Amino acid sequence: MQIQSTFRAETIRGLHPLTGRQSPAITLYGADTMIYAEGDATGPLYLVEFGTVRICRVTADGRRQITGFLMAGDVFGFEAGTVHASSAESVDGAGIRVLRPASGDQPTGALLQMALQSLARTQHQLMLLGCRSANMRMAAFLFDLSERQGDDRLVHLPMQRNDIADYLGMTFETVSRALRYLKDHGIVRLRTIADIEILNRHALEGMCE
Amino acid sequence: MQIQSTFRAETIRGLHPLTGRQSPAITLYGADTMIYAEGDATGPLYLVEFGTVRICRVTADGRRQITGFLMAGDVFGFEAGTVHASSAESVDGAGIRVLRPASGDQPTGALLQMALQSLARTQHQLMLLGCRSANMRMAAFLFDLSERQGDDRLVHLPMQRNDIADYLGMTFETVSRALRYLKDHGIVRLRTIADIEILNRHALEGMCE
DNA sequence: CGACCTGTTGATTCTGCTCAATCAACGTGG
DNA sequence: CCACGTTGATTGAGCAGAATCAACAGGTCG
């Protein structure tokens, strides 16, 4: 899968929902397009308006590690150094708003709060990877998605099996088998390939331990 | 292993090495004592002066996940919410300086920088857990420790095998076997149980991929 | 000295990776 | 319209690696 960094879709002007001020336009990134690359100079912060973004890094042996999925309302782009340690890519066509050059007249209190959110998200994923078995990690992943999407019955999977695998630290075949396990045990139902219905939320949550 | 939260050792008054101002005293925490617990109200930030601190969380099924080891110069205590999501414990007897109540007249720019450091550390550990095999994770762990301790031949392991296991997401038996593997391949030598000599740094780094 | 704790090693089981085949969905071109 | 190629997903068989269970060694402290 090659990232086509050429495609940059149209931008839309609008009001920033939080500040209420006239704000930078929304940029639409098509599926599998790069927002910034590993090694790029640190730039502004980004707010996801809709769609999904993945943060990833590539190891020396060519494996890809996805360190986060960001959805509407999430802010990304924080870096401790002068260059990005990870790249950011649109998963499914995402609308991104540039918050402001990092040099920023943004109130630093709000900046700090968003950075702490990023920290909390990252630590949450550390806990997710702490799950011993592949089935448990998949259950925790679905449960997390369900909570973030605010629907306790239907979960949408905007990303491919391959992405889920690189996020959960397993192969895409194992992702498939883990879903099958949850299906066979009556915990979920696969409406389509990307839409999952939670049949037994209690059991799903119980598996996350 | 029970945490004895009763023991709080003496405090020492001194100058803050960064600000140069008269600063809060250093508190000595004995081995295996708690600094703050999961669920405690969010408080001040802490600076490790010497020794080692572990940040950990306990899952519903009783397993422990260590999300970070902090050493001299590291700051911890950041939280997005009003309560601590993880607990902090001294590993080996650590000197901790309270930086300032989080309400803080601390310049927020410096705060943000420290928060970004925490974020970078956490993401670094995510990459470490991305290593497929136990041997690779152990190699990456030793390499990381070596860099943080600033000595490219001798690495000190202040924590027990159990702690390493909960940090790397494996059992302590596997930790033992991974060390044995590195030893048998002439990559390291175990001077004592807690002091490791790197014999082939190049090979060690090569394994981290 | 004996009790206990930590660490190492061995034997067995089981989970997940690898390799491989198959299938479904989709787009293209004849 | 259908044959064909492509891509993503599922499933199977065999194998490697880590967990588990268990025994034992070494050190420390009472």
Side-chain angles (χ1 to χ4, degrees):
Chain A
M1 187 269 304
Q2 276 300 330
I3 297 296
Q4 314 146 17
S5 59
T6 55
F7 175 45
R8 286 286 189 286
E10 53 197 312
T11 57
I12 305 171
R13 301 200 61 80
L15 290 184
H16 192 293
L18 298 175
T19 67
R21 295 177 305 180
Q22 184 75 19
S23 66
I26 297 177
T27 304
L28 294 178
Y29 288 85
D32 280 329
T33 56
M34 180 152 313
I35 300 171
Y36 56 75
E38 211 174 318
D40 281 359
T42 303
L45 297 180
Y46 303 87
L47 170 68
V48 182
E49 290 281 348
F50 55 86
T52 309
V53 170
R54 61 172 175 252
I55 308 296
C56 48
R57 229 179 274 194
V58 177
T59 65
D61 61 344
R63 263 186 15 258
R64 183 183 65 159
Q65 173 86 14
I66 294 183
T67 60
F69 287 118
L70 304 175
M71 339 225 305
D74 292 334
V75 175
F76 65 97
F78 288 103
E79 290 293 343
T82 59
V83 300
H84 284 293
S86 316
S87 65
E89 301 162 6
S90 166
V91 170
D92 60 342
I96 307 293
R97 190 189 300 273
V98 171
L99 275 194
R100 201 158 289 277
S103 56
D105 42 6
Q106 196 96 3
T108 50
L111 272 186
L112 180 60
Q113 208 52 42
M114 293 187 291
L116 293 181
Q117 277 296 333
S118 289
L119 179 60
R121 270 200 310 269
T122 309
Q123 284 180 335
H124 189 262
Q125 196 201 340
L126 265 188
M127 292 306 295
L128 200 162
L129 288 184
C131 288
R132 300 220 154 288
S133 79
N135 291 339
M136 284 166 60
R137 283 204 294 277
M138 177 60 68
F141 175 66
L142 291 181
F143 193 79
D144 183 42
L145 268 194
S146 144
E147 289 196 322
R148 291 171 72 180
Q149 294 179 3
D151 189 329
D152 57 355
R153 282 193 59 245
L154 294 181
V155 178
H156 181 63
L157 300 181
M159 70 292 289
Q160 302 190 147
R161 302 294 189 262
N162 214 329
D163 290 327
I164 301 177
D166 289 344
Y167 181 71
L168 297 181
M170 52 202 198
T171 63
F172 62 87
E173 294 100 327
T174 303
V175 169
S176 212
R177 283 184 248 265
L179 279 175
R180 187 183 205 295
Y181 174 90
L182 294 176
K183 188 185 70 175
D184 288 350
H185 284 70
I187 298 178
V188 303
R189 192 167 76 86
L190 279 70
R191 284 180 158 276
T192 75
I193 220 169
D195 289 286
I196 292 184
E197 182 181 356
I198 300 179
L199 299 177
N200 188 342
R201 189 175 179 79
H202 187 66
L204 187 70
E205 187 170 12
M207 283 195 58
C208 300
E209 297 176 353
Chain B
M1 187 270 304
Q2 277 298 332
I3 297 296
Q4 315 146 16
S5 59
T6 55
F7 175 45
R8 287 285 191 285
E10 53 196 312
T11 58
I12 305 171
R13 303 199 62 78
L15 290 183
H16 192 294
L18 299 176
T19 67
R21 294 178 305 183
Q22 184 75 17
S23 65
I26 297 177
T27 303
L28 295 179
Y29 288 86
D32 280 330
T33 57
M34 181 152 313
I35 300 170
Y36 56 76
E38 211 173 321
D40 281 0
T42 302
L45 298 180
Y46 302 86
L47 170 69
V48 181
E49 289 282 348
F50 55 85
T52 309
V53 170
R54 62 174 175 250
I55 308 296
C56 48
R57 230 179 273 194
V58 176
T59 64
D61 60 344
R63 264 188 14 260
R64 182 184 65 159
Q65 172 88 13
I66 294 183
T67 61
F69 287 118
L70 304 175
M71 339 228 301
D74 292 335
V75 175
F76 65 99
F78 288 103
E79 290 293 344
T82 59
V83 299
H84 283 293
S86 316
S87 65
E89 301 162 6
S90 166
V91 170
D92 59 342
I96 309 292
R97 189 188 301 272
V98 171
L99 275 193
R100 201 159 290 274
S103 55
D105 42 7
Q106 195 97 6
T108 50
L111 272 185
L112 180 61
Q113 209 50 44
M114 293 188 290
L116 292 181
Q117 277 296 332
S118 289
L119 179 61
R121 270 201 309 269
T122 309
Q123 284 180 335
H124 189 262
Q125 197 201 340
L126 266 188
M127 293 306 294
L128 201 162
L129 288 184
C131 289
R132 300 220 153 288
S133 78
N135 291 339
M136 284 166 60
R137 284 203 294 278
M138 176 60 68
F141 175 65
L142 291 181
F143 193 79
D144 183 42
L145 268 193
S146 144
E147 288 196 321
R148 291 172 73 181
Q149 294 179 5
D151 188 329
D152 56 355
R153 282 194 58 245
L154 294 181
V155 178
H156 181 63
L157 300 181
M159 69 292 290
Q160 300 186 349
R161 302 293 189 264
N162 215 330
D163 290 327
I164 301 176
D166 289 345
Y167 181 71
L168 297 180
M170 52 202 200
T171 64
F172 61 86
E173 293 100 327
T174 303
V175 169
S176 210
R177 281 183 247 267
L179 279 174
R180 189 186 204 297
Y181 174 90
L182 294 177
K183 189 185 70 176
D184 287 351
H185 285 68
I187 298 178
V188 304
R189 192 168 75 87
L190 278 68
R191 284 181 159 276
T192 76
I193 220 170
D195 289 286
I196 291 184
E197 181 180 357
I198 299 179
L199 299 177
N200 187 342
R201 189 176 179 78
H202 187 66
L204 186 70
E205 187 170 11
M207 283 196 58
C208 299
E209 297 176 352

